[in-house]
Amino acid sequence: MSSTEARPVRVRFAPSPTGKLHVGGARTAIYNWAFARANHGTFILRIDDTDPTRSTEENTQIILRAMKWLGLDWDEGPEVGGDFGPYWQTERLDIYRKAAERLVADGRAYYCFCTPEKLAADKKAAQERHDPFQGYQRTCRDIDPAEAQRRVDAGEPHTIRIKVPLDRGDVVVRDAVHGDVTFEANTLDDFIIFRSDGTPTYNFATVVDDSMMGITHVIRGDDHLSNTPRQIMVYEALGAPTPTFAHISMILGPDGKKLSKRHGATSVEEYRDAGYDSDAFVNYLALLGWALDGDTTIVPRDVLAKSFSLDHVSKNPATFDLKKLDWINGQYLQAMTDQEFARTQLVPQLVSAGLESAADAEAAYAAKPAWFDLLASVLKPRTTLAPQVVEKSRFLYWGEDVQFDEKSVNKNLAKDGARGYLEAARDALAALDADGWNAAAIDAALEPLPDALGTNKRKFYGAVRVAECGNQVSPPLGESLELLGRDVALARLERALPLAK
Ligand code: GLU
């Protein structure tokens, strides 16, 4: 059996909680999720935690959090349950044991009593005689089953090996990304499916799960391509249909080597903490090896979920390009309304930087939505990554006590005439009442002053800006003053007078 096309699509993402969710794993998760959504299928999250020394509950939680941040909702798995659970491999050990014992009973697997010393000696001998078959020498394959059972019952250490049919021939993996990949028969031996310590091997547990969970398409990193012929042997032994495989390419760093810590941030969390928008991040990762068409770079989540297909997945390695990620992030920010930008980018940053003291971003926003919307409208066009808003907003939180940048003061305030500029600005602005205090009115009040004072705009606005904001890098003046409010803006001009000449 190999045709799975007619079965409803069921795919899984099966991370091992031996570390955080890395960008490569996240991309695998995105492809599985998008494939399920595009085919009205089911997306399953399974925790492959059979390596007890390296799997931790903490890592599982980190992975679940990362999946949620990425917006990859799963239909079956931790927290949501489902009809094919449990979804943690450590809770399925009995299932694996029974499946292995059934294979032994059916004559498709057998107990092996070879000691490590014996295996090493056999291997050495095969090497020395240049045997084209270097695998397990099938020593225990023909032990009489009743005899083998007696030895097992007597407590003799043993493993369980799969019995690969001697006439099986080459194994062809029909891969949706790589095409047909042939593995020669003599590279396949009767490999271990159950260790002597009573734990299943990865190739066995995965296939037991994938077949019992009705997985139709296995989409995963191509580091697993070499495991696939063995897994196909397990499907065949179980008499289960083989899923369609799709092995996706590695992600490389800019130097052409496999993406790793050396290249910078590799975990999803680090990108979240750096302030990337999760939709933009998903869009970027989706494009690492998949394309909607030749050149579309902005593929929103809903389009991805409708259009993803395996035949647009490239088998060539993809290069992680931080500049492109930043660019896409900027595009997502620009596409937001001011209000969206305020709620999802600006306010959370101001809260986490401690500038806003409310308990959370929602509470902070609720306290002064119009103020944040206005700030968002001036900062959004100047922002490609959320945390950039913090430095640009800081001047709004000083009250009357401006933190002056010395260079800016020397260049703009400590200049002949500056005092006159500040006084003129103060008088013009003081004429506006609190109700009329808005960017347009402020700009209109200041506009005639440079000419009237016989100076140029650069000098005039430079002095006022430094008096109000402490430096020259703040957002446009009218909006900045509107955001500061009338009282603070006037008080700051007054306080800056002694610095001006
Ligand atoms: N737990 C395996 C991994 O994280 C899953 C591999 C697979 O998808 O079969 O590499």
Side-chain angles (χ1 to χ4, degrees), residues 404-422 455-474 496-497 499-501:
F404 289 103
D405 165 56
E406 208 183 300
K407 261 199 199 141
S408 303
V409 170
N410 290 338
K411 215 169 140 207
N412 298 277
L413 278 184
K415 283 273 160 73
D416 283 341
R419 195 177 178 81
Y421 308 157
L422 298 192
T455 186
N456 66 34
K457 283 196 168 74
R458 196 178 47 77
K459 286 183 178 163
F460 173 79
Y461 284 107
V464 176
R465 177 184 293 283
V466 174
E468 293 285 6
C469 311
N471 58 47
Q472 295 159 280
V473 294
S474 49
L497 285 174
L499 296 174
K501 276 200 197 162

Side-chain angles (χ1 to χ4, degrees), residues 12-16 28 46 48 89 202 206 210 218-221 223-224 231:
R12 86 309 193 263
F13 174 55
S16 301
T28 300
R46 184 177 76 222
D48 279 5
Q89 285 195 326
Y202 156 70
T206 291
D210 287 344
V218 169
I219 305 168
R220 62 185 171 195
D223 48 334
H224 284 293
Q231 296 187 7

